[in-house]
Amino acid sequence: GTFHPGAWAQVYAMGSMIVVADQSWSWIEADGQSAQKTYLVCFRLSGPSSSPAMVGSVDGYTMNSFSLDYVEKSEGSYVRIATTQSFWTPMVPLEGDTIGGDSGMMEDEATTTES
């Protein structure tokens, strides 16, 4: 088995390799924001069996099924990946401001009518 840290994954099969590309978010402490990240787990296929081959991660996320490629050359094999990136910055209140604060109505204010 393998751990997959993201919210959802895509599986790519290419010749003798299967790549699981798991998309998630990574917190960037220095910037105070999150960025998209893709975690890769690769398995080499050999007949009816498989074995772990590579594990890694890249910034960004894959756009579609053409975003990944597996290449075998005499100097080694590697996975090529094309990604795009977006960031998410959480809302942080400025001094004196509130988030989701007061609507301006006092708790005891209620409209009553006498009959």
Side-chain angles (χ1 to χ4, degrees), residues 64-108:
N64 56 39
S65 61
F66 301 104
S67 298
L68 272 168
D69 187 19
Y70 173 67
V71 179
E72 288 183 290
K73 291 193 170 186
S74 58
E75 64 270 9
S77 55
Y78 53 94
V79 174
R80 294 185 294 187
I81 183 169
T83 63
T84 188
Q85 181 102 23
S86 63
F87 297 89
W88 177 79
T89 303
M91 291 180 57
V92 178
L94 300 174
E95 189 174 323
D97 288 346
T98 59
I99 295 177
D102 189 351
S103 67
M105 181 178 273
M106 302 285 288
E107 283 183 37
D108 292 344

Side-chain angles (χ1 to χ4, degrees), residues 13-64:
M14 299 162 281
S16 62
M17 183 71 65
I18 289 182
V19 179
V20 179
D22 193 14
Q23 298 177 9
S24 187
W25 290 89
S26 173
W27 180 252
I28 304 169
E29 184 68 35
D31 297 338
Q33 63 183 1
S34 288
Q36 291 174 319
K37 193 159 201 88
T38 298
Y39 297 93
L40 302 169
V41 179
C42 306
F43 299 92
R44 185 171 313 284
L45 301 175
S46 178
S49 63
S50 65
S51 60
M54 296 181 239
V55 175
S57 65
V58 294
D59 293 335
Y61 63 96
T62 59
M63 294 297 292
N64 56 39

